[in-house]
Amino acid sequence: MKQVGIRIICCVSIILLVIASGCVTPPKENKIISKSGTSPGGDPLNPATTETPNYVTEVTAFLTATTTSQYRTVPPTPPPGDIYCRIYSTKNTYAYNKTAITFNLQNPAMYINYTVNPSNRTYYKSYASKITGEGDKIVKVDDYSPYSWFEITVRSKLNPDKIYLKDGFGAAKGYNEYLNRTLKIVNRDEMQIEFYGNNITATASVWVKPEGNFNDTSRFNLTTDCTYFASNPRDSLGPLTPTLTPTPTWTQV
């Protein structure tokens, strides 16, 4: 009887162990949250509820103002010592008459700008046509008068034979025919400047640096009486409006 009881107890114990092992809940899988908020292979319509730890705090970003840059070229400001002021200007109609001024140029350079209005001439010229049967042709020519010229001479007042510059307008004197020019004198001396011409109207002006010559700009209007010159001024260019040399016109008559 005692052995039968022990066997019954063992059978009951085995049955209870089997039942207990079948009721154990299987371990849950660790779900990984993807960037889209769903677990891998999961249903996107049913996002997972498990979230990763949050180590940062979202804030509103600073707004950066957008500006539009407009670039422009700003010419360099010339040094104040390079400014030149007009100390003399004249307009005259010349018929073999001459005028002169003097100035003690202590700080070169000196610039002399002139504009001329020469006399014109009209004449007729004949030539043989190269077309067979046309014979001779006559054309009307408009040109500067060969007697129209203007000359500027800069010399030492104390030594008149010492000439620093002699130039101007007109083929009669061997000069070019630019209607507007700027001449440059780089010597230091008490200068005598002479204006001379014939059959022409000319406007001329003389410019020097205030610095080192009279050190006073209060007598000048810096807007209209002073300017800056290029180190090597070009013919037909200067403070005044340039006028290009015209080409003679030929008109058949």
Side-chain angles (χ1 to χ4, degrees):
M1 284 295 292
K2 186 177 181 180
Q3 292 181 349
V4 174
I6 293 172
R7 289 178 180 177
I8 292 172
I9 292 172
C10 290
C11 291
V12 172
S13 297
I14 291 172
I15 292 172
L16 291 176
L17 289 174
V18 172
I19 294 173
S21 62
C23 295
V24 174
T25 302
K28 295 182 180 180
E29 295 181 359
N30 294 328
K31 293 184 180 181
I32 302 175
I33 305 301
S34 66
K35 292 183 179 180
S36 61
T38 60
S39 59
D43 187 356
L45 298 179
N46 296 306
T49 58
T50 303
E51 296 181 357
T52 56
N54 189 6
Y55 298 103
V56 298
T57 302
E58 291 187 359
V59 296
T60 303
F62 292 108
L63 297 179
T64 303
T66 303
T67 58
T68 302
S69 300
Q70 296 181 351
Y71 297 95
R72 61 187 182 90
T73 302
V74 179
T77 302
D82 290 342
I83 193 170
Y84 289 80
C85 294
R86 180 172 49 205
I87 60 172
Y88 176 78
S89 61
T90 180
K91 181 177 182 180
N92 202 355
T93 299
Y94 294 89
Y96 289 106
N97 51 309
K98 181 184 293 187
T99 60
I101 63 171
T102 62
F103 181 79
N104 188 8
L105 183 60
Q106 302 175 54
N107 184 21
M110 170 190 287
Y111 289 93
I112 302 175
N113 176 264
Y114 71 83
T115 301
V116 295
N117 183 16
S119 298
N120 293 333
R121 64 169 178 165
T122 300
Y123 62 95
Y124 294 89
K125 183 177 180 179
S126 63
Y127 70 98
S129 175
K130 295 182 179 180
I131 300 177
T132 304
E134 283 194 352
D136 293 341
K137 293 289 185 180
I138 298 176
V139 295
K140 182 175 71 172
V141 181
D142 293 323
D143 198 0
Y144 298 135
S145 170
Y147 307 105
S148 187
W149 52 270
F150 178 66
E151 183 178 76
I152 296 177
T153 303
V154 180
R155 67 175 82 239
S156 171
K157 182 182 179 181
L158 301 179
N159 184 8
D161 293 333
K162 190 173 185 178
I163 297 177
Y164 296 110
L165 179 142
K166 196 169 189 177
D167 207 340
F169 168 90
K173 287 286 188 176
Y175 303 134
N176 58 56
E177 293 187 341
Y178 287 104
L179 298 180
N180 184 287
R181 294 188 71 196
T182 300
L183 309 176
K184 183 179 181 180
I185 298 92
V186 296
N187 307 93
R188 182 182 289 104
D189 200 348
E190 187 170 357
M191 303 294 183
Q192 178 165 313
I193 308 162
E194 300 170 353
F195 306 96
Y196 188 32
N198 179 58
N199 202 20
I200 197 169
T201 299
T203 300
S205 55
V206 181
W207 307 72
V208 299
K209 295 180 180 180
E211 181 182 0
N213 287 310
F214 40 82
N215 296 320
D216 181 15
T217 58
S218 61
R219 72 187 76 176
F220 298 102
N221 184 327
L222 297 180
T223 303
T224 59
D225 296 333
C226 299
T227 189
Y228 295 92
F229 285 89
S231 57
N232 295 305
R234 298 169 53 191
D235 291 341
S236 80
L237 296 178
L240 303 179
T241 302
T243 305
L244 299 179
T245 303
T247 303
T249 58
W250 296 67
T251 305
Q252 183 174 343
V253 295

